Amino acid sequence: MTGLGAVFRPQLPPERLRAMARLADDSGLEELWLWEDCFLEGGVSAASAALAWTERLRIGVGLLPVPLRNVAVTAMEAATLDRLFPGRAILGVGHGVQSWMAQVGARADSPLTLLREHLDALRALLRGERVTTDGRYVRLDGVALDWPPAQAVRILAGATGPRTLRLSGEAADGTILTSSTTPEGVRKARQLIDAGRESAGRTDPHRIVVYLRTATGPDAVARLSADMAAGGKDPGAEHGVAGDAGTVAKAVRSLADAGADTVVLEPTGDEPDPEAFVWFAAHEVRPLLP
């Protein structure tokens, strides 16, 4: 079964999250994803609120920039969310936007090294291990969680470049791909991820989550083109979908056929009715998917 979700963009004020989370929960949508973009909304605080307001909805955070967090804090937050809301929080970590990381004085000279060290330590802490490590960026001295998760917690990594995709296969439990990823891009990403998994001897499942920039309604094509141009993307490229539920479902199936396990519909920045977008995803697109 292809998973389907929608994005609550952080350009919306935080006070709108409650209504949208409850709508997604009531409508049967599987997942609502949040972003921690600088300097908009905190990912963990927003996720915890959305989880508390809902009953069954899974809440994803894609992603938490690792330069901003000590890995012990990331582990504490992840463990707490999972014990409060078992199996419903999905956390992704990643490099973060490098200009933003520089802006707050947290940019790493080697983002890849930092991400590898963070992932290794984070996953060990969430397994309940006592961790001592003296890496380039991550240093822990006999650290263990007093309240580790009661079950396995899977940590995803945001990745775009070949080296980070291989690293995600080696050290993460899943990968988040941006809305700039075409079906062919998903296939290539899967190959790189699988190469990393093979080098690490991993045979456990690895979940691929892909954002899909989506516009619907009478002005959908114009809004999608404008959104892509604003993000520096070629409006003529295969980086999004505009149209009715059938058109959107076809694009979702193309990504799923290429190797995506979950597709998350990402509204344009000027989406006129975010609540209606969530309803559209749940009631019109979801029934058309396997």
Side-chain angles (χ1 to χ4, degrees):
M1 179 178 176
T2 303
L4 186 69
V7 174
F8 175 89
R9 293 183 63 128
Q11 289 79 11
L12 295 171
E15 54 268 27
R16 292 191 68 172
L17 177 58
R18 182 174 184 171
M20 287 189 63
R22 286 185 166 179
L23 174 63
D25 198 40
D26 294 341
S27 68
L29 191 67
E30 294 105 295
E31 299 177 7
L32 185 69
W33 280 75
L34 313 175
W35 296 346
E36 189 171 76
D37 283 0
C38 295
F39 300 94
L40 295 165
E41 294 160 9
V44 174
S45 54
S48 61
L51 288 162
W53 289 326
T54 55
E55 297 295 331
R56 43 149 295 277
L57 183 69
R58 293 191 297 275
I59 301 294
V61 182
L63 44 78
L64 302 173
V66 297
L68 294 181
R69 284 180 179 78
N70 182 285
V71 68
V73 175
T74 311
M76 291 161 60
E77 300 281 24
T80 299
L81 285 178
D82 193 73
R83 291 186 74 108
L84 289 171
F85 311 102
R88 293 179 54 212
I90 310 165
L91 295 184
V93 298
H95 301 310
V97 176
Q98 294 306 294
S99 60
W100 290 339
M101 299 303 100
Q103 195 174 356
V104 298
R107 183 168 182 166
D109 291 335
S110 177
L112 197 71
T113 300
L114 170 56
L115 183 58
R116 179 185 295 278
E117 291 180 359
H118 195 101
L119 281 167
D120 288 345
L122 176 60
R123 293 179 64 245
L125 288 168
L126 292 175
R127 290 193 297 266
E129 299 176 14
R130 184 170 299 277
V131 180
T132 295
T133 183
D134 186 20
R136 180 174 177 182
Y137 297 102
V138 175
R139 299 179 180 90
L140 301 174
D141 182 8
V143 175
L145 297 176
D146 285 348
W147 295 103
Q151 58 186 354
V153 172
R154 301 179 66 78
I155 298 296
L156 282 62
T160 53
R163 292 196 300 166
T164 309
L165 287 164
R166 290 191 187 94
L167 170 61
S168 184
E170 293 174 30
D173 303 301
T175 302
I176 302 169
L177 303 176
T178 72
S179 58
S180 297
T181 312
T182 65
E184 180 58 28
V186 174
R187 280 187 281 270
K188 291 180 179 178
R190 175 66 84 173
Q191 292 172 355
L192 290 164
I193 292 165
D194 286 346
R197 285 166 50 77
E198 183 178 359
S199 69
R202 297 190 62 173
T203 58
D204 52 323
H206 189 99
R207 181 183 181 199
I208 304 293
V209 177
V210 186
Y211 293 126
L212 175 62
R213 188 183 282 107
T214 304
T216 190
D219 57 349
V221 173
R223 285 195 296 109
L224 180 65
S225 296
D227 195 72
M228 292 173 66
K233 304 299 180 184
D234 178 4
E238 191 184 2
H239 290 159
V241 59
D244 60 11
T247 302
V248 174
K250 181 179 179 181
V252 172
R253 289 194 296 269
S254 294
L255 291 168
D257 290 344
D261 298 296
T262 297
V263 178
V264 181
L265 305 186
E266 175 188 319
T268 58
D270 63 350
E271 167 57 49
D273 192 340
E275 289 82 5
F277 184 87
V278 169
W279 191 95
F280 167 78
H283 288 279
E284 297 192 33
V285 179
R286 171 75 267 180
L288 301 179
L289 300 175

